[in-house]
Amino acid sequence: MKILVTGGLGFIGSHTCVELLENGHEVVVVDNLNNSKKDVLDKIKKITGSDKIKLYVEDVKNIKALDNIFKENNIECVIHFAGYKAVGESVKNPIMYYENNIVSTINLLNVMKKYNVKKIIFSSTATVYGEPKSCPVSENFSTGNTTNPYATTKYMIERILDDLYKSDNEWSIAILRYFNPIGAHKSGLIGENPNGIPNNLMPYILKVAAGELPKLNIFGNDYNTHDGTGVRDYIHVVDLAKGHVKAIEKISSENGVKVYNLGTGIGYSVLDIVNTFIEKNKVELPYEITDRRPGDVDEVFSNPTKAKNELGWEAKLSIDDMCVDSWNFKKNNI
Ligand code: WQD
């Protein structure tokens, strides 16, 4: 199929483009390079040996640009990654998040409708569950009690997609709720390399290991977990990307709105990650236990059985792979 990937040069988007090309799809990327670099396109081509990928450097909010992309390409399906995703930033600047994430999605859906393209995979997040009542978290758990504007934009878009399908049953929609994506492609050519001071754990660890930051602050060790530090469901970004290929197969065969958790179902603590990273990569990683980060919860990990049963997908890569592949990418990009 010819697939439009919004935000396709980003961390998850680029890994998904690799898997799409390696599964025989053609890819059209629209990316405004706000949180990605243009040379990722060449790296995707180098990894796959394919040139069936085309880039439009445009903002998904730009309806004219979107219309031109659909006019010039016979798009059959869309994977929608594009959006701002920093929790802390969304608290400071909620309007910027609502405008960017919601308006871009509405513009995209309107253009899709105009060209009768009614298959979409939406990049959602486990943060739509807010503070889950228990773990593992299943798709039928309540959503909407979100704790930051970023998560609320994702929750609102899920609602928009639900209502869209209710208005027109020709739509086929997959909503994929990611847990904590880390890792990088084995080639070391693509990965997560955010500018500035990272919010998330693994990008921060990588900067400390590379000597770009002095030490890791571990936000609290008094949580109700096996070692007191926060527990999360880390999933290798390549496993996550493979889940998108399976989701395309699913929405190609039936209409409706399908929601899937993409996680491993295993919870690891911050210290589990730190100790695995040190042991597997044989690096030093100075750290200090500091106060809790506001809004953090003890533990969040997924029940991934629905994706296994309905998509025939499950995560296969280990926490060791995630730590080794992350460091391999960083070493190639210092
Ligand atoms: C993981 C654990 C922290 C940094 C994020 C956001 C959002 C989502 C991915 C898309 C927690 C601890 C972290 C640090 C630390 N993205 N930590 N020191 O908070 O689970 O959620 O998940 O939806 O970005 O919701 O991920 O990587 O920020 O934190 O001790 O410098 O690492 O307390 O326990 P989180 P995270």
Side-chain angles (χ1 to χ4, degrees):
M1 294 174 84
K2 182 169 273 194
I3 299 164
L4 175 65
V5 182
T6 74
L9 296 190
F11 174 44
I12 301 170
S14 57
H15 286 83
T16 302
C17 287
V18 166
E19 296 303 322
L20 291 172
L21 291 169
E22 291 187 342
N23 279 272
H25 296 289
E26 282 187 67
V27 175
V28 176
V29 173
V30 54
D31 197 307
N32 66 4
L33 304 182
N34 169 275
N35 193 23
S36 57
K37 295 185 176 73
K38 198 170 182 182
D39 68 354
V40 170
L41 180 69
D42 300 326
K43 293 175 178 175
I44 293 168
K45 288 180 177 175
K46 187 172 179 185
I47 290 168
T48 60
S50 168
D51 63 356
K52 291 192 180 319
I53 179 169
K54 189 184 202 184
L55 170 64
Y56 290 83
V57 181
E58 297 290 356
D59 191 311
V60 179
K61 290 196 293 296
N62 181 338
I63 290 187
K64 267 179 157 318
L66 277 180
D67 195 278
N68 179 54
I69 291 169
F70 278 80
K71 198 176 291 165
E72 290 185 354
N73 301 274
N74 175 27
I75 303 295
E76 299 167 83
C77 171
V78 175
I79 304 181
H80 183 32
F81 291 108
Y84 296 153
K85 62 169 189 171
V87 169
E89 184 184 54
S90 79
V91 173
K92 292 194 191 90
N93 199 337
I95 300 302
M96 182 176 86
Y97 268 68
Y98 287 114
E99 181 184 21
N100 186 70
N101 291 3
I102 308 290
V103 170
S104 58
T105 302
I106 288 171
N107 290 350
L108 173 65
L109 294 171
N110 276 326
V111 174
M112 287 177 72
K113 221 161 90 176
K114 176 180 174 183
Y115 287 87
N116 199 33
V117 177
K118 297 185 174 181
K119 289 181 176 55
I120 184 168
I121 294 175
F122 175 58
S123 163
S124 192
T125 165
T127 54
V128 300
Y129 294 111
E131 186 169 348
K133 61 182 189 296
S134 63
C135 279
V137 179
S138 297
E139 290 84 351
N140 62 1
F141 276 27
S142 73
T143 57
N145 191 17
T146 45
T147 60
N148 61 80
Y150 155 75
T152 307
T153 66
K154 293 292 191 177
Y155 171 70
M156 290 167 89
I157 294 166
E158 290 195 7
R159 299 281 61 72
I160 290 167
L161 292 169
D162 255 347
D163 288 340
L164 175 59
Y165 174 69
K166 285 177 187 143
S167 74
D168 176 357
N169 290 356
E170 286 183 9
W171 283 83
S172 188
I173 300 166
I175 293 173
L176 305 182
R177 292 175 182 161
Y178 310 151
F179 281 70
N180 289 61
I182 61 172
H185 190 269
K186 281 232 172 301
S187 65
L189 290 173
I190 54 176
E192 188 175 24
N193 201 11
N195 304 322
I197 309 284
N199 299 301
N200 297 134
L201 179 64
M202 184 54 83
Y204 203 105
I205 285 176
L206 292 175
K207 287 192 182 270
V208 173
E212 295 166 6
L213 289 169
K215 65 175 168 53
L216 169 70
N217 299 308
I218 296 182
F219 301 142
N221 66 347
D222 58 348
Y223 286 102
N224 182 20
T225 64
H226 64 275
D227 62 16
T229 62
V231 167
R232 297 291 185 275
D233 184 332
Y234 297 95
I235 177 170
H236 198 294
V237 64
V238 172
D239 275 329
L240 197 66
K242 291 179 186 297
H244 289 70
V245 177
K246 290 289 189 183
I248 286 174
E249 291 167 17
K250 184 72 176 175
I251 67 170
S252 301
S253 61
E254 52 189 279
N255 295 352
V257 182
K258 315 250 184 321
V259 182
Y260 300 103
N261 287 337
L262 294 191
T264 63
I266 305 168
Y268 285 102
S269 73
V270 179
L271 281 172
D272 290 334
I273 300 286
V274 167
N275 293 329
T276 303
F277 190 91
I278 292 169
E279 184 203 335
K280 292 300 169 189
N281 293 315
K282 303 200 181 352
V283 293
E284 291 185 8
L285 194 71
Y287 64 81
E288 181 188 342
I289 306 290
T290 60
D291 292 339
R292 291 184 173 197
R293 179 173 65 177
D296 276 354
V297 296
D298 300 65
E299 62 175 10
V300 180
F301 56 90
S302 69
N303 171 1
T305 48
K306 187 180 175 193
K308 181 175 182 180
N309 296 339
E310 295 188 14
L311 299 181
W313 170 90
E314 62 182 326
K316 299 231 187 308
L317 296 168
S318 69
I319 202 71
D320 293 359
D321 295 316
M322 294 179 219
C323 289
V324 169
D325 294 342
S326 294
W327 182 231
N328 181 48
F329 168 72
K330 182 64 180 176
K331 284 186 297 185
N332 282 289
N333 292 274
I334 290 179

